[in-house]
Amino acid sequence: KNPIVAHVATSNKAAANINGEKLFEAIKAEIAKATADKPYVIGVIQHDETQTGIDRAQGFIDKFVELADADATTKGKYQIVKEVKQGDANQAYVAALEALYEKGIQALFMTNEGVVKQVYDATKSAEGKYDGIVFSGFDAGTKQLTWIKEDGTPKLIGSVAQDSIDMGYQAVMQCINAIEGKEVKDVAIAGQWYNKENL
C-alpha cells in the first residue's frame, strides 16, 4: 500500500501569480503611458522546459494578463515576450537577457535563482545598460538578497520564495488529521513575496 496520504508543496503557478500581481502594481503607471502602437514590453526568462519552468512562466503571464486586461488604463498597451533556455550552462540566461533587451523590454520576470544570478552579474558588468528595466525574481539566494537590498538601478523589486514555515505547518496538520481519522488532503502553498521592506 502506498503510505503517502497527502502531498504538501509549493504551487509554482500560484507562487508566480503573486509575482504577476506585484510586478503589475510596480509598472502599472508606466504601462498606462504607453500606446497600442508603442506598447510597454514585459520579458520572461523561463529557466527550462520542465513542468516547474512552464508553470512559473505561465502562472506569471496568466495573472499579469488578467490584471492588465481588467484595467482600462493598461489594456492593449503592453506586450509579453519570453525566452526559454534548457539550462544555465554557457551563460544561457545572459543570452536570453540580451535577446529580450533587443526586443525593448522594460520589465523582466525571472523564473528561478539560476536566472537571477546570471542576470545580476550581467547588469553589474554592463555599466548602466539595463538600468531602465524593472526586475522581479523567484526563489531565494545570496545574490537575490544582495540585489534587493541595494539602492540604485537596475532594481530588483522583490521575489517569491517557498513558504517553508507554512509547508511544515500544513504537513504536520495533515499528519495529525490522518492519525485522528479526520479528512486528509493535498495542500498547495502559494509562497511568500519578499522585498526590501519585509526582508
Side-chain angles (χ1 to χ4, degrees), residues 3-24:
I4 297 172
V5 294
H7 186 246
V8 178
T10 298
S11 164
N12 285 300
K13 283 187 176 180
N17 282 171
I18 296 173
N19 238 305
E21 293 172 6
K22 296 298 184 180
L23 189 56
F24 178 71

Side-chain angles (χ1 to χ4, degrees), residues 7 16 18 86 98 110 152 161 192:
H7 186 246
I18 296 173
Q86 292 293 345
E98 185 59 28
M110 303 165 284
Q192 179 70 48

Side-chain angles (χ1 to χ4, degrees), residues 16 21 23 37 40 50 53 56 67-68 74 79 95 101 125 130 136 143 146 148 161 184 186 191 193 199:
E21 293 172 6
L23 189 56
D37 293 336
Y40 188 102
T50 64
R56 290 182 183 184
L67 296 172
T74 56
Q79 176 187 7
Y101 177 81
S125 62
Y130 304 109
S136 177
K143 286 189 177 178
T146 298
I148 286 173
V184 179
D186 291 344
W193 173 260
L199 192 56

Side-chain angles (χ1 to χ4, degrees), residues 27-179:
I27 63 178
K28 176 182 173 181
E30 294 304 311
I31 298 174
K33 297 175 186 177
T35 64
D37 293 336
K38 193 174 181 182
Y40 188 102
V41 184
I42 301 102
V44 176
I45 298 179
Q46 181 180 317
H47 64 274
D48 59 26
E49 291 188 26
T50 64
Q51 198 61 51
T52 297
I54 292 168
D55 286 350
R56 290 182 183 184
Q58 199 58 50
F60 167 81
I61 292 169
D62 288 347
K63 179 56 70 173
F64 192 96
V65 168
E66 175 191 328
L67 296 172
D69 285 357
D71 192 309
T73 67
T74 56
K75 185 175 181 179
K77 296 180 178 181
Y78 69 95
Q79 176 187 7
I80 298 176
V81 291
K82 181 172 69 172
E83 283 286 318
V84 182
K85 295 297 179 183
Q86 292 293 345
D88 59 4
N90 302 316
Q91 294 295 295
Y93 304 137
V94 175
L97 171 64
E98 185 59 28
L100 292 170
Y101 177 81
E102 293 298 321
K103 294 178 181 177
I105 62 164
Q106 294 155 277
L108 178 64
F109 169 56
M110 303 165 284
T111 63
N112 80 349
E113 173 69 10
V115 178
V116 176
K117 286 162 65 175
Q118 286 192 19
V119 169
Y120 176 75
D121 289 342
T123 64
K124 285 300 177 185
S125 62
E127 299 182 356
K129 177 178 180 179
Y130 304 109
D131 283 1
I133 301 172
V134 178
F135 293 89
S136 177
F138 203 110
D139 291 331
T142 301
K143 286 189 177 178
Q144 283 204 74
L145 303 182
T146 298
W147 194 357
I148 286 173
K149 290 175 185 176
E150 289 177 349
D151 293 318
T153 53
K155 187 69 179 170
L156 178 62
I157 63 166
S159 293
V160 171
Q162 297 191 72
D163 190 339
S164 302
I165 292 175
D166 197 26
M167 276 195 285
Y169 177 85
Q170 294 296 339
V172 170
M173 290 307 300
Q174 296 314 306
C175 289
I176 292 170
N177 288 345
I179 291 167

